[in-house]
Amino acid sequence: MKKKKILTITGWLFKLGLLAFVLVIIGSAAYVGYMSIQIEKRFSSRRWQIPSKVFSDVTILYPGQKLNMGLFRKKLENLGYKMVGHDPENRGEINLSGTTMDIFLHDLNYLSREREGFPIRITLNEDVITSIVRKDNDESILILELEPEEIMLFFGTEREQRQLVSITQVPQELVYAVMAAEDNRFYQHRGVDPAGIARAVYTNVRYGSIRQGGSTITQQLAKNYFLTPERTFLRKFNELLISITLELKYEKEEIMEIYLNEIYFGQKGNVSVNGVGEASIF
């Protein structure tokens, strides 16, 4: 009788364990399905989101104005003007010759003001503007407005400065360098790399300190996009599920492209510089 009772209890425990296992599988599948939808929405909008542009006011020039020529040339360079060795023929060209500066202006489209570009000649005397003349009709200009300068790109609601780039624009050597530093088996694993985790554990135990992380590039994306930086088992479990979901939904090249546009490279004042595109410019 006692043996039969033990067998009955064992049978119930086995059924409860099996039920719990099935519920965990169903719950995990439902969670992965939910995260798949969230990942699609977040990644799609993030990959093609257009940064917000911040512009300066227009630059005013007039006869009698004293110019700091070094700063003025830098201003023209920031506005996209290029020095040429001939009389400017196209918008955005400049030619300097002694005390004269020939500029073919860009189009101006600022607030309610619109103006097509035209060629001008600025005459100087000891860095003071003596005259501004339209070269196409010899009309004297009393006040000239140069187009506003783009001074900042903000990506999303955070103060992040970035230029989105396609993976096809990134040198392969840079991709290899990132893999060497972060995840050298990126193209061999499916989001989680047991060999990388084992290697990191061995290195950290050997040196008695945190020398190496075991997170893959995909795991880093999962953490940065969806999770907090807290170190808990639940967060790590979520990171693993999200990483596997990412690998199921996206090709390796797509994941690498998103990662390269997300990497934090440093600060420009109080603005963070993110992504290889912006970092290369900075």
Side-chain angles (χ1 to χ4, degrees):
M1 188 73 178
K2 187 176 181 180
K3 185 176 180 181
K4 185 176 181 182
K5 187 176 181 181
I6 292 174
L7 289 174
T8 302
I9 293 172
T10 303
W12 275 107
L13 288 175
F14 174 77
K15 290 178 181 179
L16 286 173
L18 182 61
L19 178 62
F21 176 75
V22 171
L23 290 175
V24 168
I25 294 297
I26 294 174
S28 297
Y31 179 72
V32 168
Y34 167 77
M35 286 309 304
S36 177
I37 296 172
Q38 298 304 310
I39 288 169
E40 182 67 33
K41 288 188 342 191
R42 181 76 186 270
F43 270 36
S44 295
S45 63
R46 185 72 166 176
R47 290 176 71 190
W48 308 117
Q49 187 174 346
I50 300 174
S52 301
K53 296 183 179 182
V54 180
F55 291 92
S56 69
D57 200 353
V58 293
T59 299
I60 304 296
L61 300 176
Y62 53 88
Q65 180 181 12
K66 184 174 179 59
L67 294 179
N68 181 318
M69 290 306 297
L71 293 179
F72 185 61
R73 290 186 187 185
K74 183 64 177 176
K75 164 67 75 172
L76 292 173
E77 180 183 323
N78 291 342
L79 290 174
Y81 288 91
K82 303 297 181 184
M83 200 69 66
V84 295
H86 54 79
D87 198 38
E89 300 172 350
N90 303 298
R91 289 173 175 81
E93 293 183 343
I94 315 170
N95 178 262
L96 298 179
S97 178
T99 59
T100 61
M101 181 183 298
D102 293 325
I103 306 174
F104 204 124
L105 298 173
H106 287 304
D107 295 340
L108 175 66
N109 187 353
Y110 179 68
L111 299 179
S112 60
R113 301 194 290 279
E114 292 187 17
R115 180 207 69 203
E116 290 188 0
F118 55 85
I120 63 168
R121 170 165 289 177
I122 299 176
T123 305
L124 301 161
N125 181 17
E126 295 183 352
D127 295 343
V128 175
I129 299 176
T130 58
S131 66
I132 306 174
V133 178
R134 285 190 64 146
K135 296 178 64 177
D136 54 354
N137 61 13
D138 292 327
E139 176 187 343
S140 294
I141 299 175
L142 297 179
I143 296 178
L144 175 69
E145 292 181 328
L146 292 181
E147 61 272 18
E149 177 186 347
E150 181 184 295
I151 56 177
M152 189 66 69
L153 283 173
F154 287 142
F155 191 87
T157 58
E158 303 297 325
R159 289 179 63 82
E160 297 178 1
Q161 192 167 348
R162 72 177 72 206
Q163 297 277 351
L164 298 182
V165 296
S166 166
I167 189 67
T168 59
Q169 297 173 278
V170 179
Q172 191 62 46
E173 290 80 6
L174 178 57
V175 175
Y176 291 150
V178 169
M179 288 173 56
E182 301 293 338
D183 183 3
N184 62 3
R185 283 171 40 82
F186 175 69
Y187 286 100
Q188 279 74 56
H189 63 68
R190 298 303 299 175
V192 180
D193 184 13
I197 295 173
R199 184 174 59 253
V201 170
Y202 170 76
T203 301
N204 295 336
V205 170
R206 179 184 175 188
Y207 289 97
S209 62
I210 303 298
R211 296 289 188 90
Q212 195 175 96
S215 294
T216 64
I217 282 175
T218 313
Q219 286 176 270
Q220 292 179 45
L221 269 184
K223 180 178 67 176
N224 291 339
Y225 265 79
F226 300 100
L227 304 171
T228 63
E230 62 178 347
R231 297 179 178 232
T232 64
F233 177 78
L234 180 60
R235 199 228 72 192
K236 198 66 178 178
F237 179 70
N238 284 335
E239 181 184 296
L240 295 178
L241 288 181
I242 294 171
S243 300
I244 293 170
T245 305
L246 284 172
E247 293 275 349
L248 291 173
K249 288 185 68 66
Y250 296 97
E251 299 293 331
K252 286 288 188 180
E253 294 298 312
E254 293 179 287
I255 293 173
M256 178 61 75
E257 179 181 270
I258 298 170
Y259 182 79
L260 291 173
N261 280 305
E262 279 295 312
I263 302 175
Y264 169 77
F265 277 97
Q267 291 289 129
K268 184 178 181 181
N270 64 346
V271 177
S272 62
V273 178
N274 292 73
V276 295
E278 187 62 37
S280 66
I281 295 170
F282 179 56

